[in-house]
Amino acid sequence: MNDNELLHAYRKLWSNRTLSVGSDEKKTLEEAIKKELLDEMTHPRVRKSPDKKLLDALKRIIAANISPEEKLELISKHMEMYEKILTK
């Protein structure tokens, strides 16, 4: 699955969120997932931990109307970004 297809699948998870795409779909997807896991779209006083945000994301992916291959790729990408966040 290429980066453009994976980004398209990620967009299906969010019906009301805009996602500007630059020339690099992989970087766009990684930045979007990082923002999601760090809960940057929420006010700082009510932000959830990356652990809770990962669990929420996994539940959203599993319930999404996308192919099993897309689900596995998105779960893998979320886990990769979560590990990067923890190592910083």
Side-chain angles (χ1 to χ4, degrees), residues 15-82:
S15 60
N16 61 349
R17 189 175 289 180
T18 59
L19 184 61
S20 59
V21 179
S23 59
D24 187 358
E25 285 112 356
K26 181 178 181 178
K27 185 173 175 122
T28 301
L29 178 62
E30 288 177 349
E31 287 297 317
I33 292 172
K34 182 180 173 186
K35 280 179 109 171
E36 176 186 355
L37 293 177
L38 292 174
D39 207 9
E40 291 181 355
M41 304 295 279
T42 306
H43 191 279
R45 283 185 272 178
V46 293
R47 286 184 180 158
K48 295 180 182 177
S49 70
D51 298 338
K52 290 181 181 177
K53 290 304 289 186
L54 178 64
L55 182 59
D56 291 345
L58 296 179
K59 288 177 182 178
R60 178 178 287 107
I61 292 167
I62 290 168
N65 189 20
I66 56 178
S67 74
E69 180 185 35
E70 291 170 325
K71 289 180 182 186
L72 287 174
E73 290 284 336
L74 285 172
I75 288 171
S76 175
K77 186 59 81 171
H78 275 75
M79 295 300 296
E80 176 186 326
M81 295 307 299
Y82 176 74

